[in-house]
Amino acid sequence: MTVTGIISAIIIGLIIGALGRLVVPGRQAIPIWLTILIGIGAALLGTAIARAAGWADTSGVDWIEVFIQVVLAAVGVALVSGLYGRRSIT
């Protein structure tokens, strides 16, 4: 992966993670770096799912792919914030 690919993955992960965080109701007590990681993972997994289903090769913006990525990011943010909030501080 090139430097440009890494930078674009971080930017897309930030956007997808932020959109996923906006979709989840309530306050999420997770750091921004964790949101970015969730967004990057959701973007990669969403792209893989869209490609496997044949939805990733359309002309223009792949709205179905973006929708899948945002839903995956929202689920990831909800799961991680639930687990992150339950950490016991000793």
Side-chain angles (χ1 to χ4, degrees):
M1 183 175 257
T2 64
V3 173
T4 307
I6 293 170
I7 292 171
S8 63
I10 291 170
I11 292 170
I12 291 171
L14 175 67
I15 294 167
I16 295 295
L19 288 173
R21 198 168 178 157
L22 285 174
V23 172
V24 176
R27 186 172 187 275
Q28 296 82 37
I30 60 174
I32 191 69
W33 63 266
L34 193 52
T35 302
I36 294 170
L37 286 179
I38 293 168
I40 291 170
L44 294 173
L45 185 60
T47 299
I49 291 170
R51 285 188 193 276
W55 299 325
D57 296 324
T58 61
S59 60
V61 178
D62 298 326
W63 291 111
I64 296 173
E65 182 179 355
V66 171
F67 178 75
I68 293 169
Q69 291 171 337
V70 171
V71 168
L72 289 172
V75 169
V77 166
L79 288 174
V80 171
S81 67
L83 293 173
Y84 199 81
R86 291 186 193 165
R87 289 188 331 178
S88 63
I89 300 173
T90 55

